[in-house]
Amino acid sequence: MNDIEFLDRAEALLRAIELTCDHINDTTDADIDNQRVGGMITLTFANSSQIIINLQKPLHEVWMAARAGGFHYRHDGAAWVDTKGQGEFFANLSRYASEQSGRALTFSS
């Protein structure tokens, strides 16, 4: 994957996160504060815990930091997958956001 392809796919991922947060906030009382600065999104939950997603452009990776730990994802042509074989980005984000918020939350592309 070249730099332009990475940025296109990464931008689509960040936009999907933003849109999902907007949808969750519009349809539930979950109250996820999502703030984006460039290639980084910070999700802050009602209990003040955070998940931070940021782009690592030189490595063509997306990194996620959550209470469960730090994770690196690369696009395999079909999805963003953990570089250590720990699953797909949106499935993991859904799991970690649900754990941190104390309610079932679903993120998808």
Side-chain angles (χ1 to χ4, degrees):
M1 168 177 5
N2 64 38
D3 290 344
I4 293 171
E5 291 170 327
F6 168 76
L7 289 173
D8 286 346
R9 289 180 173 149
E11 178 60 34
L13 176 135
L14 295 178
R15 186 71 183 131
I17 294 167
E18 291 176 307
L19 290 173
T20 301
C21 285
D22 291 345
H23 176 73
I24 290 169
N25 287 335
D26 289 345
T27 59
T28 73
D29 62 351
D31 191 29
I32 303 170
D33 178 32
N34 65 92
Q35 295 193 352
R36 180 170 175 183
V37 177
M40 182 175 75
I41 294 178
T42 302
L43 307 179
T44 305
F45 301 97
N47 61 9
S48 298
S49 69
Q50 295 182 328
I51 294 177
I52 299 170
I53 298 115
N54 66 330
L55 306 184
Q56 296 298 315
K57 294 175 189 175
L59 301 174
H60 290 185
E61 292 183 352
V62 174
W63 290 3
M64 177 172 20
R67 281 186 178 167
F71 308 93
H72 300 188
Y73 298 87
R74 282 195 194 120
H75 203 276
D76 69 358
W80 291 94
V81 294
D82 183 87
T83 60
K84 294 184 180 176
Q86 300 300 314
E88 187 271 334
F89 178 86
F90 287 103
N92 289 347
L93 177 57
S94 297
R95 184 172 77 228
Y96 304 141
S98 296
E99 289 171 1
Q100 288 185 220
S101 70
R103 64 182 329 135
L105 298 174
T106 303
F107 287 81
S108 62
S109 57

